Amino acid sequence: MRAEAQAYADKINAALALLRRFIDWDKALRRLDELNARVEDPTLWDKPREAQEVMRERRRLDESITATRAIERELAETSELIEMAEAEGDEDMASEGTQALAALAARAEEDKVKALLSGEADANDTYIEVHSGAGGTESQDWAEMLQRMYTRWAERHGFKVELMDYHAGEQAGIKSATLLVKGENAYGYAKTESGVHRLVRISPYDSSARRHTSFSSVWVYPVIDDSIDIEINESDLKIDTYRASGAGGQHVNTTDSAVRITHVPSGIIVASQQDRSQHKNRATAMGMLKARLYEAELAKREAAALGTYSAKTEIGWGHQIRSYVLQPYQLVKDLRTGVTSTAPSDVLDGALDPFMAAALSQRVTGETVEVEDVD
């Protein structure tokens, strides 16, 4: 088979291998048989919540298994078609077969990512916090660029975005902001974005046009519902109120309706100024705090499974997960997976899916790569 077609076939086989490994193929087949038997039991819906969980798990497994089998079948058929075309010297048919493999490779990658989104809270809506690092205006401008990047990413997926909290920078940009992203698998996609993000560029705020390095951090955690019980002692909380402000520093109202809650034992801080009601903002902030505590527990479980644990680190050099270089060349490089892009403008406009997919795959395989940062 010609080299181009073989490259697509190899990519498809790699995606299939990861899918089979992730769902534990033989175990998944047995589990699907069990779930199909339970669905046929007329007493299942005597317990509606349990029934919904069964139906959800059954649908997920069935979709993954069906998609995997379909890709395997199409790969075999198309590969056979290409080999036959090459044997007969039919270049047009061979070219069509190669194009079909290219499309199948793209579909296999999409199906792989969907299958990887089966964690405990992956299907949930998500909060995305952005915080500027040290460096004043430079890092605050970078934080606002990140806020826009995640907003654009969410919009590309048809997700709804709400600005829950916003603190403007002193001259430009933002000190911090919290987005609420609503959509299926929003948390599952975004969860690998937590960490420090580094920007290298010619500063628009430097009259000498020197190159500057800026840092901002991103923290992603899932929205949780009432079925997840998180106990919080009121005595562990420090609650402050302040005047809400919107983008550009314009006051939403003239009362101290915004609420900031500090969970003293963990050091977690959340805030909400979305509503004009202090009472509603307090309830929203409490929900955010429970979500942060829940995410921390999920991270510990996952780290235990992988044998590692990474705590939230300082916002600075040596802790970044991704570097974005705008000058003197154009490159975005993920320092965990090695995935790169030579189109930073596209990435900053929300083209994050390749980075997210690679990071999700890495969580499954546990494989690490040696990646050098860019200057």
Side-chain angles (χ1 to χ4, degrees):
M1 192 159 52
R2 64 179 63 185
E4 184 182 8
Q6 187 61 56
Y8 288 128
D10 290 344
K11 185 176 181 180
I12 294 166
N13 279 318
L16 290 171
L18 184 63
L19 276 168
R20 282 175 166 271
R21 175 177 175 177
F22 179 68
I23 67 175
D24 194 344
W25 186 257
D26 292 337
K27 182 178 178 181
L29 293 177
R30 292 194 299 271
R31 179 59 178 164
L32 182 59
D33 287 340
E34 293 173 4
L35 294 171
N36 285 335
R38 290 192 66 184
V39 168
E40 294 175 2
D41 184 350
T43 65
L44 174 66
W45 288 96
D46 291 346
K47 299 178 180 179
R49 177 169 289 185
E50 182 179 322
Q52 289 173 0
E53 289 295 324
V54 168
M55 297 300 291
R56 189 179 298 115
E57 183 184 359
R58 176 180 175 273
R59 177 175 61 84
R60 179 181 62 79
L61 274 177
D62 185 56
E63 287 178 353
S64 295
I65 291 170
T66 300
T68 301
R69 284 173 168 165
I71 292 171
E72 287 175 334
R73 183 179 63 255
E74 290 181 43
L75 173 60
E77 292 173 352
T78 307
S79 297
E80 184 178 344
L81 177 67
I82 293 173
E83 290 174 358
M84 183 174 64
E86 289 175 343
E88 297 176 357
D90 190 335
E91 282 297 317
D92 289 340
M93 183 180 293
S95 178
E96 288 179 10
T98 300
Q99 291 175 15
L101 279 185
L104 187 60
R107 200 175 96 208
E109 187 67 19
E110 290 178 4
D111 287 345
K112 179 189 77 174
V113 173
K114 287 179 182 177
L116 297 178
L117 300 177
S118 58
E120 189 172 323
D122 284 356
N124 295 22
D125 300 336
T126 191
Y127 295 108
I128 301 178
E129 285 185 16
V130 180
H131 297 270
S132 63
T137 302
E138 287 293 336
S139 64
Q140 290 168 12
D141 187 50
W142 172 223
E144 186 169 50
M145 291 169 66
L146 287 173
Q147 178 199 342
R148 179 187 179 278
M149 180 180 77
Y150 289 113
T151 300
R152 292 290 295 117
W153 166 78
E155 291 170 350
R156 283 176 177 231
H157 283 266
F159 296 156
K160 183 180 178 182
V161 183
E162 297 178 14
L163 184 62
M164 306 299 292
D165 190 48
Y166 183 98
H167 296 274
E170 293 163 2
Q171 295 181 359
I174 60 171
K175 294 180 180 178
S176 66
T178 302
L179 301 174
L180 170 59
V181 180
K182 295 182 177 180
E184 186 176 2
N185 292 322
Y187 174 66
Y189 282 115
K191 66 182 181 182
T192 59
E193 291 295 295
S194 288
V196 177
H197 296 245
R198 169 181 173 246
L199 173 70
V200 180
R201 65 172 175 174
I202 300 297
S203 170
Y205 305 101
D206 188 333
S207 59
S208 300
R210 290 172 295 186
R211 202 162 68 132
H212 284 248
T213 298
S214 306
F215 299 93
S216 289
S217 71
V218 174
W219 201 247
V220 181
Y221 49 102
V223 176
I224 61 174
D225 57 33
D226 293 337
S227 65
I228 299 173
D229 186 25
I230 304 291
E231 291 186 9
I232 299 177
N233 294 324
E234 287 288 333
S235 59
D236 290 337
L237 303 181
K238 179 176 180 292
I239 301 176
D240 301 302
T241 59
Y242 56 97
R243 184 168 295 179
S245 61
Q250 305 229 335
H251 294 305
V252 174
N253 57 38
T254 57
T255 62
D256 291 348
S257 60
V259 175
R260 180 187 301 109
I261 300 178
T262 303
H263 185 250
V264 177
S266 66
I268 292 174
I269 301 173
V270 294
S272 174
Q273 56 175 291
Q274 180 194 33
D275 205 279
R276 292 178 179 272
S277 164
Q278 184 184 115
H279 177 73
K280 290 182 179 179
N281 281 329
R282 188 182 190 281
T284 298
M286 282 297 294
M288 293 167 69
L289 176 58
K290 289 182 179 180
R292 279 288 300 272
L293 292 170
Y294 177 64
E295 185 274 340
E297 180 59 31
L298 286 180
K300 287 180 182 178
R301 287 187 216 163
E302 181 175 298
L306 295 176
T308 60
Y309 182 70
S310 297
K312 190 175 181 181
T313 57
E314 61 182 276
I315 309 175
W317 185 272
H319 302 290
Q320 60 267 22
I321 64 168
R322 191 177 302 142
S323 288
Y324 307 69
V325 180
L326 307 185
Q327 291 288 346
Y329 51 89
Q330 302 271 301
L331 182 69
V332 179
K333 187 173 188 179
D334 194 286
L335 305 177
R336 302 161 299 176
T337 63
V339 171
T340 62
S341 170
T342 55
S345 59
D346 290 344
V347 175
L348 293 172
D349 200 38
L352 294 168
D353 289 354
F355 297 98
M356 293 178 174
L360 283 168
S361 297
Q362 189 180 62
R363 287 189 174 204
V364 174
T365 63
E367 297 172 356
T368 57
V369 293
E370 292 292 331
V371 183
E372 291 187 7
D373 202 354
V374 290
D375 294 327

